Amino acid sequence: MTSTTLGSAAARISHLSLTGDTEWVASAPKLRSSLALLSPDHVDLGKMLVEMGQSHLFEHWPELGVDDEEKQGFFDQIARLNASYPGGLSSYIKNARQLLADSKAGRNPFDGFTPSVPTGENLTFADNDFIKYEEAGIKEAQNAAFVLVAGGLGERLGYNGIKVALPLETCTGTCFLQHYIESILALQDASYRKNEGNRLREVPLAIMTSDDTHARTLSLLESNSYFGMKPSQVTLLKQEKVACLEDNDARLALDPNNKYRIQTKPHGHGDVHSLLYSSGLLNKWQEAGIKWVLFFQDTNGLLFKAIPAALGVSSMKQYHVNSLAVPRKAKEAIGGIAKLTHVDGRTMVINVEYNQLDPLLRATINPDGDVNTETGFSPFPGNINQLILELRPYIEELNKTGGAIKEFVNPKYKDASKTSFKSSTRLECMMQDYPKTLPPTARVGFTVMDAWLAYAPVKNNPEDAAKVAKGNPYHSATSGEMAIYRANSLILGKAGVIVDDPVQGVFNGQEVEIWPRITWRPKWALTFSDIKGKISGSCSISQQSTLVIKGSKIFLEDLSLDGALVVHSVDDAEVTVGGLIRNKGWILKNVDFKDTSEPEEIRIRGFKINKMEQLEGNYEEPGKYTLRA
């Protein structure tokens, strides 16, 4: 250590003595001896930690000159943790103590609240209201920004990559991120046309990443030229982790493998709100004329089939908050959207977890708890964590809260005394809890659509999915891909195409419906009206068929497909496809998820596609074309 450093350290310690600010140093003697290493900002952080009851963090520190770089690294981490949490680490510790005390006392967060069914829209695909909302949503899309929450790896799925890199279906190999970006670009172009040639407004996309996914997400974008989106349209916001807690006093936990590091874990996807606020992105969007912010998660391949109508509902109903939802069976393991009214008059419309909703109903308005109505479903719709927020009131609310979302803690206690934990815990927050702090005047609603159209998340690995009780959704890569084919088949059926019924199949122990493998790029059709406009005459598709559409101006006219058909065209090529097309097609072949000779993205589905024979049309030049067998 240089004499200059020693001199500055002595000056800092002398300053503390002269100002009388020494009591906190005396209570942490191991830290006191290392003050020479610290910048004034780090000294302030040390004081804050000691005053917040965190002196244990320094008990093992050796004298000055030993592990000095590690000690400085400790405070570098503390500075990051302090900066990334609204109100800083002191607020985190205070909040943790209160929530841990509530947890130990067994306090119910819903005490004093009575649930009721909130106001919302229940949509039926392809009816007049649905079409009306879709058209309104397309018109409004140029005023929207999208936020993708993508902080997770695919390890839970049995896939070692980032989840957004996983193919959502294997006919084309299109990954989730490509599909999402192409969907946003298709909305952007459709909205431009719908608004009759006003200046094209680029629709922005923000992606919340994490330490685990940031570099790989950026690499996926850059190596694929951002899938056609301008890099300037995309903003990556990296989420930081939060400190772990070792006991009910909210003492910060040290990393078991490094005594100079705080153990950290993810805070939850609710951080997206504070990141958007602190980044200044929301104000930038508002200045650009953005009115809506749409939040979505990383592996729901059906979502953009529901987005136009849901955005139309937000626009026409002037909702400040619109939660996309699906019908849910009573007691089904999915949160329910409910209006909660407190005895003091407070109200809020929020997601209530399924294991909390039933006892809440039993304790208040219905001794039978959560039960189905005559519709066969619970009156409380199922939350799927897709939100549409009006930007202006969203900014106003975040200006009050700094982006902080109501948190919860879920410690795993060693025993009934609730005095110690099996392992460290941390505070968590959820994106969908944003409405908890809104005033009663906020217009909070929901839009319900059929699950076959809107919700098929990929969350579970093959072994866990195979254990799911019969009749409940698998939420696996297998069921997620099959759900896309089902939705596309049902949509074409509504548009007048005769589509064969599915057959049953079993892949990786999961019994699923196998529909014709039908897939199209978003630019071919975004709405039901788009699809109807591209189908004419008498069209039919057999169950064993595969139809892949890659182009915007491809029309089906008197098509009878019994095999595989792939059509690709540039934007200025118009292709009419028709007649009887019959060939050996593409066959699904079972794959064991333990067969390491196959790639992970194939194994987790339990099948691969054997491309026996197909008719393929590629149109790379502008013009009008006809494709027949």
Tab-separated table of all heavy atoms in Angstrom, residues 588-627:
chain	number	residue	atom	x	y	z
A	588	LEU	N	-44.300	-37.849	-38.406
A	588	LEU	CA	-43.778	-37.687	-37.056
A	588	LEU	C	-43.194	-39.011	-36.575
A	588	LEU	O	-43.860	-40.052	-36.617
A	588	LEU	CB	-44.878	-37.235	-36.092
A	588	LEU	CG	-45.528	-35.883	-36.354
A	588	LEU	CD1	-46.539	-35.566	-35.255
A	588	LEU	CD2	-44.496	-34.779	-36.445
A	589	LYS	N	-41.968	-38.955	-36.097
A	589	LYS	CA	-41.294	-40.154	-35.601
A	589	LYS	C	-40.963	-39.977	-34.128
A	589	LYS	O	-40.387	-38.960	-33.728
A	589	LYS	CB	-40.008	-40.401	-36.397
A	589	LYS	CG	-39.258	-41.656	-35.970
A	589	LYS	CD	-37.998	-41.854	-36.802
A	589	LYS	CE	-37.244	-43.099	-36.338
A	589	LYS	NZ	-35.979	-43.292	-37.116
A	590	ASN	N	-41.341	-40.952	-33.309
A	590	ASN	CA	-41.083	-40.862	-31.867
A	590	ASN	C	-39.597	-40.808	-31.555
A	590	ASN	O	-38.783	-41.489	-32.204
A	590	ASN	CB	-41.714	-42.048	-31.136
A	590	ASN	CG	-43.195	-41.873	-30.913
A	590	ASN	OD1	-43.983	-41.949	-31.849
A	590	ASN	ND2	-43.581	-41.627	-29.678
A	591	VAL	N	-39.271	-40.013	-30.538
A	591	VAL	CA	-37.899	-39.893	-30.040
A	591	VAL	C	-37.952	-39.984	-28.519
A	591	VAL	O	-38.791	-39.335	-27.884
A	591	VAL	CB	-37.263	-38.551	-30.463
A	591	VAL	CG1	-35.929	-38.340	-29.752
A	591	VAL	CG2	-37.078	-38.493	-31.970
A	592	ASP	N	-37.065	-40.781	-27.932
A	592	ASP	CA	-36.989	-40.871	-26.469
A	592	ASP	C	-36.202	-39.685	-25.941
A	592	ASP	O	-35.120	-39.374	-26.451
A	592	ASP	CB	-36.304	-42.181	-26.070
A	592	ASP	CG	-36.446	-42.470	-24.577
A	592	ASP	OD1	-36.067	-41.597	-23.764
A	592	ASP	OD2	-36.930	-43.551	-24.223
A	593	PHE	N	-36.733	-39.031	-24.905
A	593	PHE	CA	-36.056	-37.824	-24.411
A	593	PHE	C	-34.700	-38.152	-23.782
A	593	PHE	O	-33.891	-37.255	-23.533
A	593	PHE	CB	-36.941	-37.061	-23.426
A	593	PHE	CG	-37.074	-37.678	-22.062
A	593	PHE	CD1	-36.219	-37.332	-21.036
A	593	PHE	CD2	-38.082	-38.594	-21.798
A	593	PHE	CE1	-36.351	-37.888	-19.777
A	593	PHE	CE2	-38.223	-39.157	-20.544
A	593	PHE	CZ	-37.350	-38.804	-19.526
A	594	LYS	N	-34.417	-39.424	-23.547
A	594	LYS	CA	-33.120	-39.828	-23.011
A	594	LYS	C	-32.111	-40.170	-24.111
A	594	LYS	O	-30.949	-40.498	-23.818
A	594	LYS	CB	-33.284	-41.021	-22.071
A	594	LYS	CG	-34.109	-40.712	-20.828
A	594	LYS	CD	-34.263	-41.932	-19.931
A	594	LYS	CE	-35.111	-41.606	-18.704
A	594	LYS	NZ	-35.324	-42.804	-17.844
A	595	ASP	N	-32.554	-40.101	-25.357
A	595	ASP	CA	-31.696	-40.448	-26.492
A	595	ASP	C	-30.769	-39.274	-26.801
A	595	ASP	O	-31.135	-38.341	-27.513
A	595	ASP	CB	-32.563	-40.789	-27.711
A	595	ASP	CG	-31.736	-41.199	-28.915
A	595	ASP	OD1	-30.492	-41.204	-28.817
A	595	ASP	OD2	-32.337	-41.518	-29.966
A	596	THR	N	-29.553	-39.339	-26.288
A	596	THR	CA	-28.629	-38.210	-26.420
A	596	THR	C	-28.068	-38.059	-27.827
A	596	THR	O	-27.334	-37.092	-28.096
A	596	THR	CB	-27.468	-38.349	-25.420
A	596	THR	OG1	-26.826	-39.613	-25.616
A	596	THR	CG2	-27.974	-38.254	-23.978
A	597	SER	N	-28.395	-38.962	-28.726
A	597	SER	CA	-27.954	-38.793	-30.112
A	597	SER	C	-28.772	-37.717	-30.825
A	597	SER	O	-28.384	-37.245	-31.901
A	597	SER	CB	-28.064	-40.114	-30.881
A	597	SER	OG	-29.433	-40.504	-31.035
A	598	GLU	N	-29.904	-37.332	-30.228
A	598	GLU	CA	-30.747	-36.285	-30.804
A	598	GLU	C	-30.511	-34.956	-30.079
A	598	GLU	O	-30.194	-34.945	-28.889
A	598	GLU	CB	-32.230	-36.662	-30.678
A	598	GLU	CG	-32.639	-37.921	-31.443
A	598	GLU	CD	-32.645	-37.727	-32.943
A	598	GLU	OE1	-32.505	-36.568	-33.397
A	598	GLU	OE2	-32.776	-38.724	-33.667
A	599	PRO	N	-30.666	-33.838	-30.756
A	599	PRO	CA	-30.511	-32.536	-30.103
A	599	PRO	C	-31.548	-32.352	-28.991
A	599	PRO	O	-32.645	-32.911	-29.036
A	599	PRO	CB	-30.756	-31.528	-31.241
A	599	PRO	CG	-30.600	-32.291	-32.506
A	599	PRO	CD	-30.976	-33.699	-32.203
A	600	GLU	N	-31.193	-31.537	-28.013
A	600	GLU	CA	-32.084	-31.306	-26.877
A	600	GLU	C	-33.452	-30.812	-27.312
A	600	GLU	O	-34.483	-31.243	-26.777
A	600	GLU	CB	-31.479	-30.258	-25.929
A	600	GLU	CG	-30.320	-30.742	-25.112
A	600	GLU	CD	-29.745	-29.628	-24.253
A	600	GLU	OE1	-29.825	-28.448	-24.653
A	600	GLU	OE2	-29.225	-29.944	-23.177
A	601	GLU	N	-33.494	-29.879	-28.275
A	601	GLU	CA	-34.776	-29.294	-28.667
A	601	GLU	C	-35.696	-30.316	-29.322
A	601	GLU	O	-36.913	-30.125	-29.383
A	601	GLU	CB	-34.566	-28.097	-29.593
A	601	GLU	CG	-33.815	-28.389	-30.861
A	601	GLU	CD	-32.330	-28.107	-30.729
A	601	GLU	OE1	-31.786	-28.234	-29.608
A	601	GLU	OE2	-31.712	-27.764	-31.751
A	602	ILE	N	-35.131	-31.434	-29.815
A	602	ILE	CA	-35.946	-32.535	-30.350
A	602	ILE	C	-36.342	-33.480	-29.234
A	602	ILE	O	-37.501	-33.888	-29.107
A	602	ILE	CB	-35.170	-33.291	-31.452
A	602	ILE	CG1	-34.925	-32.366	-32.661
A	602	ILE	CG2	-35.915	-34.558	-31.860
A	602	ILE	CD1	-36.189	-31.892	-33.344
A	603	ARG	N	-35.382	-33.836	-28.388
A	603	ARG	CA	-35.648	-34.808	-27.321
A	603	ARG	C	-36.763	-34.353	-26.401
A	603	ARG	O	-37.591	-35.158	-25.969
A	603	ARG	CB	-34.377	-35.056	-26.501
A	603	ARG	CG	-33.228	-35.614	-27.302
A	603	ARG	CD	-32.184	-36.313	-26.456
A	603	ARG	NE	-31.851	-35.669	-25.207
A	603	ARG	CZ	-30.750	-34.951	-24.995
A	603	ARG	NH1	-29.899	-34.739	-25.986
A	603	ARG	NH2	-30.502	-34.445	-23.804
A	604	ILE	N	-36.798	-33.066	-26.063
A	604	ILE	CA	-37.809	-32.611	-25.100
A	604	ILE	C	-39.214	-32.632	-25.688
A	604	ILE	O	-40.192	-32.541	-24.947
A	604	ILE	CB	-37.477	-31.204	-24.558
A	604	ILE	CG1	-37.468	-30.153	-25.670
A	604	ILE	CG2	-36.162	-31.221	-23.800
A	604	ILE	CD1	-37.289	-28.732	-25.153
A	605	ARG	N	-39.331	-32.767	-27.005
A	605	ARG	CA	-40.655	-32.879	-27.642
A	605	ARG	C	-41.119	-34.325	-27.739
A	605	ARG	O	-42.320	-34.606	-27.742
A	605	ARG	CB	-40.616	-32.272	-29.053
A	605	ARG	CG	-40.318	-30.802	-29.053
A	605	ARG	CD	-40.001	-30.265	-30.441
A	605	ARG	NE	-39.290	-29.011	-30.305
A	605	ARG	CZ	-39.867	-27.838	-30.129
A	605	ARG	NH1	-41.177	-27.737	-30.111
A	605	ARG	NH2	-39.148	-26.743	-29.981
A	606	GLY	N	-40.151	-35.235	-27.887
A	606	GLY	CA	-40.504	-36.645	-28.017
A	606	GLY	C	-40.797	-37.067	-29.441
A	606	GLY	O	-41.245	-38.188	-29.680
A	607	PHE	N	-40.535	-36.186	-30.400
A	607	PHE	CA	-40.726	-36.552	-31.808
A	607	PHE	C	-39.836	-35.698	-32.691
A	607	PHE	O	-39.364	-34.618	-32.297
A	607	PHE	CB	-42.191	-36.390	-32.232
A	607	PHE	CG	-42.703	-34.979	-32.156
A	607	PHE	CD1	-42.495	-34.059	-33.185
A	607	PHE	CD2	-43.399	-34.540	-31.028
A	607	PHE	CE1	-42.976	-32.770	-33.102
A	607	PHE	CE2	-43.877	-33.243	-30.940
A	607	PHE	CZ	-43.665	-32.351	-31.982
A	608	LYS	N	-39.603	-36.193	-33.881
A	608	LYS	CA	-38.950	-35.401	-34.916
A	608	LYS	C	-39.714	-35.619	-36.216
A	608	LYS	O	-40.519	-36.556	-36.341
A	608	LYS	CB	-37.487	-35.779	-35.069
A	608	LYS	CG	-37.209	-37.208	-35.527
A	608	LYS	CD	-35.706	-37.444	-35.615
A	608	LYS	CE	-35.397	-38.877	-36.050
A	608	LYS	NZ	-33.922	-39.108	-36.136
A	609	ILE	N	-39.474	-34.748	-37.169
A	609	ILE	CA	-40.203	-34.795	-38.425
A	609	ILE	C	-39.338	-35.460	-39.488
A	609	ILE	O	-38.218	-35.015	-39.765
A	609	ILE	CB	-40.620	-33.382	-38.868
A	609	ILE	CG1	-41.618	-32.811	-37.864
A	609	ILE	CG2	-41.218	-33.416	-40.268
A	609	ILE	CD1	-42.037	-31.384	-38.148
A	610	ASN	N	-39.853	-36.529	-40.053
A	610	ASN	CA	-39.193	-37.234	-41.161
A	610	ASN	C	-39.802	-36.723	-42.461
A	610	ASN	O	-40.947	-37.035	-42.791
A	610	ASN	CB	-39.397	-38.746	-41.007
A	610	ASN	CG	-38.583	-39.541	-42.010
A	610	ASN	OD1	-37.878	-38.965	-42.840
A	610	ASN	ND2	-38.676	-40.858	-41.937
A	611	LYS	N	-39.039	-35.920	-43.193
A	611	LYS	CA	-39.566	-35.277	-44.404
A	611	LYS	C	-39.457	-36.236	-45.586
A	611	LYS	O	-38.462	-36.273	-46.313
A	611	LYS	CB	-38.816	-33.972	-44.666
A	611	LYS	CG	-38.991	-32.957	-43.532
A	611	LYS	CD	-38.251	-31.649	-43.804
A	611	LYS	CE	-38.471	-30.661	-42.656
A	611	LYS	NZ	-37.788	-29.369	-42.879
A	612	MET	N	-40.525	-37.004	-45.801
A	612	MET	CA	-40.548	-38.022	-46.847
A	612	MET	C	-40.661	-37.398	-48.243
A	612	MET	O	-39.888	-37.692	-49.146
A	612	MET	CB	-41.730	-38.971	-46.611
A	612	MET	CG	-41.735	-39.645	-45.260
A	612	MET	SD	-40.478	-40.920	-45.118
A	612	MET	CE	-41.161	-42.168	-46.216
A	613	GLU	N	-41.651	-36.509	-48.395
A	613	GLU	CA	-41.916	-35.929	-49.722
A	613	GLU	C	-42.772	-34.679	-49.540
A	613	GLU	O	-43.612	-34.626	-48.633
A	613	GLU	CB	-42.665	-36.943	-50.602
A	613	GLU	CG	-42.867	-36.508	-52.038
A	613	GLU	CD	-43.636	-37.548	-52.866
A	613	GLU	OE1	-44.226	-38.482	-52.260
A	613	GLU	OE2	-43.650	-37.414	-54.099
A	614	GLN	N	-42.561	-33.678	-50.353
A	614	GLN	CA	-43.365	-32.471	-50.288
A	614	GLN	C	-43.381	-31.771	-51.637
A	614	GLN	O	-42.501	-31.992	-52.466
A	614	GLN	CB	-42.827	-31.488	-49.234
A	614	GLN	CG	-41.515	-30.807	-49.588
A	614	GLN	CD	-40.299	-31.565	-49.121
A	614	GLN	OE1	-40.397	-32.488	-48.316
A	614	GLN	NE2	-39.140	-31.203	-49.647
A	615	LEU	N	-44.394	-30.952	-51.827
A	615	LEU	CA	-44.412	-30.011	-52.943
A	615	LEU	C	-43.954	-28.679	-52.387
A	615	LEU	O	-44.487	-28.206	-51.381
A	615	LEU	CB	-45.812	-29.880	-53.537
A	615	LEU	CG	-45.956	-28.834	-54.663
A	615	LEU	CD1	-45.103	-29.221	-55.876
A	615	LEU	CD2	-47.420	-28.672	-55.059
A	616	GLU	N	-42.959	-28.072	-53.032
A	616	GLU	CA	-42.399	-26.832	-52.514
A	616	GLU	C	-42.373	-25.779	-53.600
A	616	GLU	O	-41.932	-26.031	-54.733
A	616	GLU	CB	-40.983	-27.077	-51.985
A	616	GLU	CG	-40.407	-25.913	-51.222
A	616	GLU	CD	-39.206	-26.307	-50.371
A	616	GLU	OE1	-38.879	-27.510	-50.314
A	616	GLU	OE2	-38.612	-25.406	-49.761
A	617	GLY	N	-42.872	-24.604	-53.280
A	617	GLY	CA	-42.839	-23.487	-54.211
A	617	GLY	C	-42.060	-22.328	-53.626
A	617	GLY	O	-42.359	-21.878	-52.517
A	618	ASN	N	-41.036	-21.850	-54.343
A	618	ASN	CA	-40.228	-20.710	-53.903
A	618	ASN	C	-40.322	-19.616	-54.960
A	618	ASN	O	-39.975	-19.832	-56.127
A	618	ASN	CB	-38.764	-21.121	-53.723
A	618	ASN	CG	-38.557	-21.996	-52.501
A	618	ASN	OD1	-38.687	-21.538	-51.380
A	618	ASN	ND2	-38.260	-23.268	-52.732
A	619	TYR	N	-40.769	-18.453	-54.550
A	619	TYR	CA	-40.989	-17.355	-55.486
A	619	TYR	C	-40.183	-16.148	-55.001
A	619	TYR	O	-40.577	-15.458	-54.067
A	619	TYR	CB	-42.484	-17.044	-55.579
A	619	TYR	CG	-43.266	-18.271	-56.009
A	619	TYR	CD1	-43.800	-19.144	-55.053
A	619	TYR	CD2	-43.427	-18.589	-57.345
A	619	TYR	CE1	-44.485	-20.283	-55.435
A	619	TYR	CE2	-44.107	-19.731	-57.746
A	619	TYR	CZ	-44.637	-20.579	-56.784
A	619	TYR	OH	-45.308	-21.719	-57.166
A	620	GLU	N	-39.032	-15.943	-55.654
A	620	GLU	CA	-38.081	-14.929	-55.221
A	620	GLU	C	-38.180	-13.632	-56.010
A	620	GLU	O	-37.469	-12.669	-55.691
A	620	GLU	CB	-36.648	-15.486	-55.345
A	620	GLU	CG	-36.400	-16.773	-54.561
A	620	GLU	CD	-36.485	-16.576	-53.057
A	620	GLU	OE1	-36.358	-15.415	-52.608
A	620	GLU	OE2	-36.696	-17.577	-52.342
A	621	GLU	N	-39.031	-13.596	-57.044
A	621	GLU	CA	-39.182	-12.405	-57.867
A	621	GLU	C	-40.616	-11.904	-57.812
A	621	GLU	O	-41.554	-12.699	-57.678
A	621	GLU	CB	-38.807	-12.709	-59.318
A	621	GLU	CG	-37.377	-13.177	-59.522
A	621	GLU	CD	-36.365	-12.089	-59.232
A	621	GLU	OE1	-36.732	-10.900	-59.370
A	621	GLU	OE2	-35.226	-12.417	-58.864
A	622	PRO	N	-40.833	-10.598	-57.915
A	622	PRO	CA	-42.201	-10.074	-57.963
A	622	PRO	C	-42.970	-10.639	-59.146
A	622	PRO	O	-42.395	-11.014	-60.166
A	622	PRO	CB	-41.987	-8.564	-58.105
A	622	PRO	CG	-40.602	-8.310	-57.607
A	622	PRO	CD	-39.813	-9.532	-57.961
A	623	GLY	N	-44.286	-10.728	-58.985
A	623	GLY	CA	-45.130	-11.231	-60.060
A	623	GLY	C	-46.307	-12.008	-59.531
A	623	GLY	O	-46.485	-12.141	-58.319
A	624	LYS	N	-47.115	-12.533	-60.454
A	624	LYS	CA	-48.253	-13.366	-60.088
A	624	LYS	C	-47.990	-14.799	-60.526
A	624	LYS	O	-47.568	-15.044	-61.662
A	624	LYS	CB	-49.531	-12.839	-60.742
A	624	LYS	CG	-50.020	-11.514	-60.166
A	624	LYS	CD	-51.424	-11.173	-60.644
A	624	LYS	CE	-51.946	-9.920	-59.960
A	624	LYS	NZ	-53.345	-9.612	-60.345
A	625	TYR	N	-48.271	-15.741	-59.617
A	625	TYR	CA	-47.941	-17.136	-59.867
A	625	TYR	C	-49.095	-18.033	-59.436
A	625	TYR	O	-49.912	-17.664	-58.588
A	625	TYR	CB	-46.688	-17.549	-59.089
A	625	TYR	CG	-45.474	-16.686	-59.355
A	625	TYR	CD1	-45.222	-15.553	-58.573
A	625	TYR	CD2	-44.587	-17.001	-60.374
A	625	TYR	CE1	-44.112	-14.760	-58.801
A	625	TYR	CE2	-43.463	-16.214	-60.610
A	625	TYR	CZ	-43.231	-15.094	-59.822
A	625	TYR	OH	-42.133	-14.313	-60.059
A	626	THR	N	-49.119	-19.228	-60.026
A	626	THR	CA	-50.071	-20.261	-59.635
A	626	THR	C	-49.289	-21.531	-59.324
A	626	THR	O	-48.387	-21.920	-60.085
A	626	THR	CB	-51.085	-20.541	-60.753
A	626	THR	OG1	-51.812	-19.344	-61.031
A	626	THR	CG2	-52.059	-21.643	-60.334
A	627	LEU	N	-49.614	-22.167	-58.210
A	627	LEU	CA	-48.953	-23.412	-57.812
A	627	LEU	C	-49.995	-24.516	-57.713
A	627	LEU	O	-50.931	-24.431	-56.926
A	627	LEU	CB	-48.243	-23.237	-56.465
A	627	LEU	CG	-47.589	-24.497	-55.867
A	627	LEU	CD1	-46.504	-25.043	-56.787
A	627	LEU	CD2	-47.016	-24.198	-54.481
